[in-house]
């Protein structure tokens, strides 16, 4: 790794996030988990991209890599990750800490568990503001109050003095969003931010996120395994399977014309017409074992169209139309 | 917040009463007649009866207990049957010595325990971790009277660096923090510190390792906090539990140093108890146990209150 990260002047027309050839492996004495196996991603400024996929497909790992949050000692990283013109994988620790929370911020799946239980919410938000903007704790708290009003938490002042266990799930997710937005990040990473919430609260949080994203002109990468949620919030969808992106395109394209057999499976497993609140299920077979990845397409063992080629070689991406592409040997089979 | 503290403090009263009752009864249930210590076996009956009446041993037990409690509240724990001195003076003189020893021992034990535990927890599974865990297991497994004797053999007998017994020249009220006294404290304090060191190491190690696995630690790093700052968060999470364990250990040190105090002839409550048992000195036994028990209760109170201050979740229940 380079000692100093290359700093390229960020340009407005340049994508905010550029990931290419990303591979992530977790080493332990007895096995190596191939969690991500060659992911390419671009995210424009002001865009919301949803990463969709089954449990274990590498969504969270990809997201964490964007902030280099994975345990350094056991993780092998390959490829390029650039955010806002900066090479994330080559950043020295100091710069990395300035980058985290300021350029990119993360919202977690379990908001209740993402706060330190022995500090008040206000303290925890103020701490972040102080860290990045060098202001006093008092000014940090004042900012926290503004943020609480921004994410529409009622009786904001009183809530700031609450401890995490004193907030409901929806309320703490709002607080988590306030925390993430505290230093006006350009990139917001949201790892299943609504999965742990009730359906009604889910919608409120999604609408809030959508609105804040427009207001603050952020780019968002949103992870979910809920097709309904993906449809609700995103501009673009990337479908992940076995640590690779198998299909990506605009929301409309993916929903209306899914081409990868796995995406098709996802669509078919939903009750027809009803998009919201459905979980993915009912594709026969089980996800690949990431310790012993097959040599061909990872989906081949479960794919109804699989032929020998699929088991032998990994398919490359084929453009379908504009930015819509899928990585499959058998695309002609799924033509509408 | 206020009501929790108030309630917790009120609890002390019934607990203390119950404790005093058990102290009183325990000693009466044990075999042996306290009168043996005061009068010789062939003394005439009238003399025995007179002495019995003087000590109040002729009254029914509930009455004895009542009188004992009433006087104890006024600071009078009766007279020693062995030497006729006031129990209160004896006990508090010894208690000061025991406290001195226990505090130094716990200072050593807790400091090392927290240090080792944190290091091992942070680098769980490393060589350092295995080494530290080994020390901790050794610490809780070695019988401390044996360790005490070994230390005496090495440092007093072989090397003659440190004295093997007593608390220094003069009586215990002469004690000052000077080398000629402190050197008497070193071996018993080290001996006594080994168990709390082991227990605290293991607790802190487990807690640190557990806390580091919590989601919020990743969230703290994701905020861009420096590792030192993350560490402070971990410490504040570990503190309530560590504190509770240390409070308990300090309590054990106060009450459980009988063997060590006997090995080193340290004039504390342990030695006092030991002698009282052999002399069947009931008032001393009752008084010492009561004072130690109340100390333990107060210690627990302080730990609970401190814990509640550190962990906001506690006041909820
Ligand atoms: N720190 C780690 N060490 C070892 N293996 C890991 C680590 N983090 C993730 N993995 C493995 O990497 C694979 C991908 O995990 P990831 O968390 O990205 O899945 P996901 O798509 O987010 O699934 P989910 O929907 O369940 O959150 C899993 O098999 C997981 O066990
Ligand atoms: Mg995940």
């Amino acid at each position: 790794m380079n000692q100093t990260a290359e700093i390229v002047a960020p340009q407005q027309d340049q994508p905010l996030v550029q990931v290419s050839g990303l591979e992530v492996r977790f080493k332990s004495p007895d096995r190596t988990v191939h969690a991500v196996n060659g992911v390419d991603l671009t995210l424009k400024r002001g865009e919301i991209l949803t990463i969709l996929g089954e449990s274990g497909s590498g969504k969270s790992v990809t997201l964490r890599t964007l902030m280099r949050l994975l345990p350094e000692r056991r993780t092998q990283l390959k490829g390029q990750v650039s955010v806002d013109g900066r090479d994330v994988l080559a950043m020295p620790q100091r710069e990395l800490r300035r980058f985290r929370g300021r350029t990119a911020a993360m919202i977690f799946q379990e908001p209740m568990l993402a706060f330190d239980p022995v500090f008040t919410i206000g303290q925890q938000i103020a701490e972040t503001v102080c860290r990045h903007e060098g202001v006093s704790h008092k000014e940090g708290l004042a900012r926290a109050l503004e943020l609480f009003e921004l994410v529409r938490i009622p009786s904001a002042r009183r809530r700031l003095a609450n401890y995490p266990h004193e907030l409901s799930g929806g309320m703490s997710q709002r607080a988590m969003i306030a925390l993430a937005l505290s230093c006006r990040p350009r990139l917001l990473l949201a790892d299943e931010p609504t999965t742990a919430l009730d359906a009604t609260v889910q919608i409120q949080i999604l609408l809030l996120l959508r609105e804040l994203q427009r207001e603050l002109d952020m780019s968002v990468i949103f992870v979910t395994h809920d097709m309904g949620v993906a449809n609700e919030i995103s501009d673009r969808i990337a479908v992940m399977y076995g640590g690779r992106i198998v299909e990506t395109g605009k929301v409309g394209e993916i929903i209306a014309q899914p081409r990868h057999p796995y995406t098709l499976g996802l669509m078919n497993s939903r009750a027809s017409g009803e998009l919201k609140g459905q979980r993915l299920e009912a594709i026969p077979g089980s996800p690949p074992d990431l310790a012993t990845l097959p040599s061909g397409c990872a989906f081949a063992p479960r794919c109804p169209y699989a032929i020998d080629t699929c088991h032998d070689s990994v398919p490359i991406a084929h453009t379908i139309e504009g930015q819509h592409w899928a990585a499959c040997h058998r695309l002609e089979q799924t033509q509408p | 917040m206020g009501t929790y503290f108030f309630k917790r403090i009120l609890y002390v009263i019934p607990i203390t009463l119950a404790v005093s009752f058990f102290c009183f009864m325990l000693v009466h249930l044990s075999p042996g007649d306290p009168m043996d210590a005061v009068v010789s076996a062939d003394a005439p009956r009238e003399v025995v009866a007179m002495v019995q009446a003087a000590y109040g041993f002729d009254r029914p037990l509930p009455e004895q207990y009542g009188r004992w409690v009433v006087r104890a509240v006024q600071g009078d724990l009766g007279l020693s049957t062995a030497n006729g001195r006031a129990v209160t003076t004896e006990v508090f003189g010894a208690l000061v010595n025991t406290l001195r020893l226990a505090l130094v021992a716990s200072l050593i034990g807790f400091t090392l325990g927290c240090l080792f535990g944190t290091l091992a927890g942070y680098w769980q599974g490393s060589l350092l971790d295995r080494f530290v865990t080994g020390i901790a297991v050794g610490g809780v497994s070695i019988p401390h009277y044996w360790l005490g004797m070994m230390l005496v053999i090495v440092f007093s007998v072989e090397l003659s660096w440190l004295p093997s017994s007593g608390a220094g020249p003069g009586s215990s009220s002469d004690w000052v923090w000077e080398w000629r006294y402190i050197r008497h404290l070193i071996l018993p304090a080290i001996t006594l510190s080994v168990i709390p060191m082991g227990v605290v190491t293991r607790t802190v190690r487990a807690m640190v390792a557990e806390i580091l696995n919590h989601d919020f630690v990743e969230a703290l790093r994701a905020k861009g906090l420096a590792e030192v700052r993350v560490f402070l968060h971990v410490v504040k999470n570990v503190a309530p539990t560590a504190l509770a364990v240390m409070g308990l250990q300090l309590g054990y040190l106060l009450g459980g140093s009988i063997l060590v105090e006997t090995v080193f002839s340290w004039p504390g409550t342990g030695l006092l108890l030991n002698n009282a048992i052999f002399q069947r000195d009931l008032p001393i036994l009752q008084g010492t146990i009561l004072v130690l028990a109340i100390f333990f209760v107060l210690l627990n109170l302080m730990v609970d209150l401190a814990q509640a201050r550190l962990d906001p979740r506690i006041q909820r229940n």
Side-chain angles (χ1 to χ4, degrees):
Chain A
M1 225 177 260
N2 293 340
Q3 266 304 301
T4 51
E6 204 173 311
I7 300 174
V8 182
Q11 290 159 0
Q12 277 314 307
D13 52 340
Q14 201 190 20
L16 184 72
V17 178
Q18 241 173 334
V19 175
S20 57
L22 179 67
E23 288 179 26
V24 183
R25 287 184 193 149
F26 296 109
K27 294 238 167 206
S28 62
D30 46 322
R31 64 198 224 123
T32 303
V33 175
H34 300 248
V36 175
N37 307 292
V39 158
D40 300 310
L41 259 184
T42 49
L43 179 71
K44 287 190 281 227
R45 286 164 201 275
E47 189 181 36
I48 302 189
L49 169 73
T50 294
I51 302 180
L52 189 68
E54 280 176 318
S55 192
S57 54
K59 308 182 297 287
S60 300
V61 171
T62 306
L63 217 57
R64 276 166 177 68
T65 313
L66 290 176
M67 288 179 83
R68 224 167 93 198
L69 277 174
L70 300 167
E72 306 240 317
R73 271 182 297 163
R74 292 185 296 114
T75 316
Q76 252 184 13
L77 293 167
K78 254 194 227 158
Q80 247 90 53
V81 176
S82 110
V83 175
D84 203 21
R86 289 193 283 179
D87 183 350
V88 175
L89 301 188
M91 260 184 216
Q93 286 293 334
R94 246 172 118 64
E95 195 187 335
L96 183 64
R97 285 198 292 268
R98 266 201 304 272
F99 165 84
R100 289 174 178 166
R102 187 177 180 79
T103 309
M106 173 112 69
I107 307 177
F108 295 85
Q109 174 168 353
E110 299 272 359
M112 313 273 233
L113 304 179
F115 281 109
D116 183 339
V118 302
F119 286 86
T120 65
I121 305 279
Q123 285 171 334
Q124 299 189 51
I125 297 180
E127 182 180 35
T128 316
V129 181
C130 298
R131 159 78 186 88
H132 288 293
E133 305 190 355
V135 298
S136 70
H137 188 73
K138 211 170 154 205
E139 286 169 285
L141 278 177
R143 169 76 69 81
L145 186 63
E146 283 169 33
L147 287 158
F148 263 35
E149 277 153 9
L150 183 72
V151 297
R152 273 179 254 120
I153 290 179
S155 39
R157 196 175 291 278
R158 197 160 52 81
R159 288 293 178 205
L160 277 179
N162 277 159
Y163 286 94
H165 70 269
E166 295 170 323
L167 301 188
S168 67
M171 204 61 84
S172 40
Q173 194 57 288
R174 279 173 197 267
M176 190 77 229
I177 294 172
L179 172 64
L181 299 183
S182 60
C183 296
R184 300 283 139 91
R186 299 207 186 132
L187 173 64
L188 183 65
L189 304 172
D191 193 354
E192 309 203 30
T194 58
T195 308
L197 306 175
D198 296 342
T200 46
V201 183
Q202 256 189 33
I203 310 262
Q204 292 170 3
I205 297 285
L206 286 181
L207 292 178
L208 177 71
L209 274 175
R210 180 96 243 194
E211 196 184 308
L212 289 171
Q213 178 265 334
R214 291 212 184 106
E215 208 169 300
L216 304 173
D217 193 30
M218 282 182 298
S219 308
V220 179
I221 300 184
F222 195 97
V223 163
T224 181
H225 43 217
D226 188 325
M227 183 70 94
V229 168
N231 184 39
E232 190 75 47
I233 194 156
S234 29
D235 299 318
R236 215 146 52 80
I237 292 180
V239 180
M240 242 182 131
Y241 188 83
R244 296 193 184 96
I245 292 180
V246 293
E247 180 166 7
T248 176
K250 294 215 187 73
V251 185
E253 293 167 335
I254 301 282
I255 303 279
Q257 289 184 322
R259 292 297 299 278
H260 194 283
Y262 175 62
T263 319
L264 273 168
L266 290 184
M267 304 297 280
N268 292 338
S269 66
R270 288 178 7 239
S272 55
E274 178 56 63
L275 280 176
K276 283 192 199 92
Q278 287 290 325
R279 291 294 173 80
L280 312 178
E281 54 192 349
I283 299 176
S286 52
D289 176 8
L290 294 173
T292 53
L293 218 54
S295 55
C297 170
F299 188 59
R302 300 167 75 185
C303 182
Y305 310 108
I307 52 171
D308 288 349
T309 326
C310 298
H311 293 282
D312 296 339
S313 69
V314 179
I316 55 157
H318 298 280
T319 301
I320 294 152
E321 199 189 338
Q323 286 180 15
H324 184 189
W325 58 256
C328 179
H329 291 301
R330 305 279 283 155
L331 282 179
E332 73 282 356
Q333 293 292 313
T334 58
Q335 227 138 29
Chain B
M1 187 123 180
T3 49
Y4 171 82
F5 278 54
F6 188 64
K7 268 196 209 156
R8 185 60 190 79
I9 291 171
L10 274 190
Y11 278 145
V12 168
I13 296 170
I15 293 175
T16 311
L17 272 179
V19 160
S20 72
F21 182 71
F22 279 107
C23 289
F24 185 82
M25 287 317 289
L26 262 184
V27 174
H28 273 279
L29 289 177
S30 60
D33 186 340
M35 291 317 295
D36 293 351
V38 194
V39 287
S40 55
D42 52 1
R45 266 217 203 136
E46 306 83 70
V47 178
V48 175
M50 209 180 72
V51 177
Q52 242 178 348
Y55 279 99
F57 290 140
D58 57 339
R59 314 283 173 124
L61 277 186
E63 195 191 328
Q64 280 190 43
Y65 172 67
R67 284 165 169 262
W68 183 65
V69 168
V70 169
R71 277 192 279 140
V73 172
Q74 296 161 350
D76 174 11
L77 290 168
L79 299 177
S80 156
T81 52
N83 58 17
R85 291 207 282 195
V87 173
T88 319
T89 346
E90 294 279 287
V91 172
F92 280 95
L95 187 67
V96 171
N97 282 329
T98 292
L99 271 179
R100 204 171 276 142
L101 180 59
L103 286 178
V104 172
S106 49
L107 197 70
I108 301 173
F110 297 166
T111 313
L112 290 181
C114 289
L115 185 74
F116 289 168
T118 310
L119 290 176
Y122 244 84
W123 285 279
Q124 205 188 9
S126 66
L127 257 166
L128 178 79
D129 178 22
R130 268 175 253 167
F131 178 67
V132 163
T133 309
I135 293 184
V137 171
V140 290
S141 323
I142 291 176
H144 52 5
Y145 57 87
W146 180 84
L147 177 68
M149 291 191 279
M150 288 302 122
L151 288 178
V152 167
I153 291 174
V154 175
F155 291 99
S156 308
V157 180
E158 294 295 327
L159 299 169
S160 355
W161 286 354
L162 294 166
S164 66
S165 71
S171 74
S172 56
S173 52
D174 297 335
W175 172 281
V176 276
W177 290 98
E178 277 173 17
W179 176 242
R180 62 203 165 101
Y181 289 96
I182 294 175
R183 57 202 287 271
H184 285 265
L185 188 69
I186 296 177
L187 290 186
I190 291 178
T191 309
L192 213 51
S193 72
V194 167
I195 289 183
M197 187 272 289
V199 175
V200 172
T201 301
R202 291 207 295 191
T203 313
V204 170
R205 174 186 177 275
M207 282 299 292
V208 167
E210 194 220 303
I211 296 289
L212 281 175
N213 272 328
H214 280 282
D215 289 6
F216 78 79
V217 174
E218 188 182 35
L220 290 173
R221 297 206 173 107
K223 297 203 296 191
L225 295 190
E227 205 52 40
V228 187
R229 193 81 209 189
V230 175
F231 175 71
L232 286 182
H233 277 265
V234 173
V235 167
K236 193 166 176 204
N237 275 272
V238 174
T241 313
L243 207 76
V245 171
M246 292 197 275
L248 270 182
Q249 286 301 312
L250 184 57
Y252 291 149
L253 286 192
L254 288 178
S257 53
I258 295 188
L259 289 176
V260 174
E261 288 189 359
T262 307
V263 166
F264 290 98
S265 310
W266 183 263
T269 47
L271 195 62
L272 188 66
L273 276 177
N274 192 29
N275 293 338
I277 289 167
F278 285 113
Q279 298 170 336
R280 297 200 192 296
D281 194 341
L282 261 198
I284 289 276
L285 270 182
Q286 289 171 329
T288 314
I289 297 177
L290 179 71
V291 169
L292 287 179
I294 290 179
F295 225 85
F296 201 78
V297 170
L298 290 181
L299 199 67
N300 269 316
L301 172 72
M302 286 191 295
V303 167
D304 278 1
L305 295 185
Q307 244 188 328
R309 277 215 78 90
L310 287 173
D311 191 336
R313 285 165 299 185
I314 287 174
Q315 294 144 37
R316 265 302 175 94
N317 328 325

